[in-house]
Amino acid sequence: MTDCIFCKIVSGQIPSSKVYEDDQVLAFLDITQVTPGHTLVIPKTHVADVFDMDSDTAGLVFARIPKIARQLKEKLGAKGLNIINNNGEAAGQTVFHSHIHLLPRLDKEDGLAIQFETHEPDFTQLAQLAQELYLEA
């Protein structure tokens, strides 16, 4: 795709700070560095998001994440790691080339806050929703 910033990074038209690369996957430091070592992992072929991704591409990308995560943990002394993936505008995606954020956590006071609002469970409603969403393997 000609207008995609990540495709331009893959092709070498735009420089990046690479931390991993093979024939199918590229990982590079995010320029925003939410936490030190904030890394983006992308497929080299253009795919907008997880909804457009086939299982082969997903397998290629996700198979590399543990290796890259271990390197971030070892070299940075990270005590944890958040993995975030935004898909679609409503989810906050701003670059429409699928990418996985790896956010090393050096300590609890690193300035990154990910919060979930909890709700009292309605088990009947949960069972109905699960039935609607159930997908055969």
Side-chain angles (χ1 to χ4, degrees):
M1 175 168 271
T2 57
D3 273 353
C4 175
I5 191 168
F6 289 173
C7 286
K8 289 178 180 178
I9 289 171
V10 169
S11 71
Q13 295 174 50
I14 295 176
S16 67
S17 300
K18 296 177 186 177
V19 298
Y20 176 86
E21 182 175 23
D22 62 29
D23 291 342
Q24 296 92 15
V25 174
L26 176 63
F28 54 94
L29 296 176
D30 188 304
I31 60 171
T32 66
Q33 289 297 284
V34 171
T35 62
H38 178 183
T39 299
L40 301 178
V41 182
I42 68 169
K44 284 189 169 182
T45 56
H46 183 83
V47 57
D49 55 31
V50 73
F51 303 116
D52 291 336
M53 193 179 285
D54 61 33
S55 59
D56 290 338
T57 303
L60 292 169
V61 173
F62 284 94
R64 273 67 169 185
I65 287 176
K67 179 178 185 172
I68 299 164
R70 284 189 295 271
Q71 177 76 346
L72 294 171
K73 181 180 180 186
E74 179 186 323
K75 296 295 183 180
L76 298 172
K79 295 173 178 60
L81 179 92
N82 288 105
I83 299 174
I84 299 175
N85 174 240
N86 302 329
N87 295 279
E89 233 177 293
Q93 186 177 6
T94 57
V95 176
F96 293 91
H97 183 123
S98 187
H99 55 287
I100 312 299
H101 294 261
L102 303 182
L103 296 151
R105 304 304 297 270
L106 305 180
D107 59 52
K108 289 183 179 180
E109 306 302 320
D110 60 12
L112 176 61
I114 300 171
Q115 297 177 309
F116 294 93
E117 184 178 331
T118 60
H119 304 279
E120 285 299 315
D122 178 332
F123 293 106
T124 302
Q125 199 173 40
L126 286 173
Q128 290 171 346
L129 182 57
Q131 189 174 9
E132 289 175 36
L133 296 175
Y134 189 79
L135 179 64
E136 293 289 330

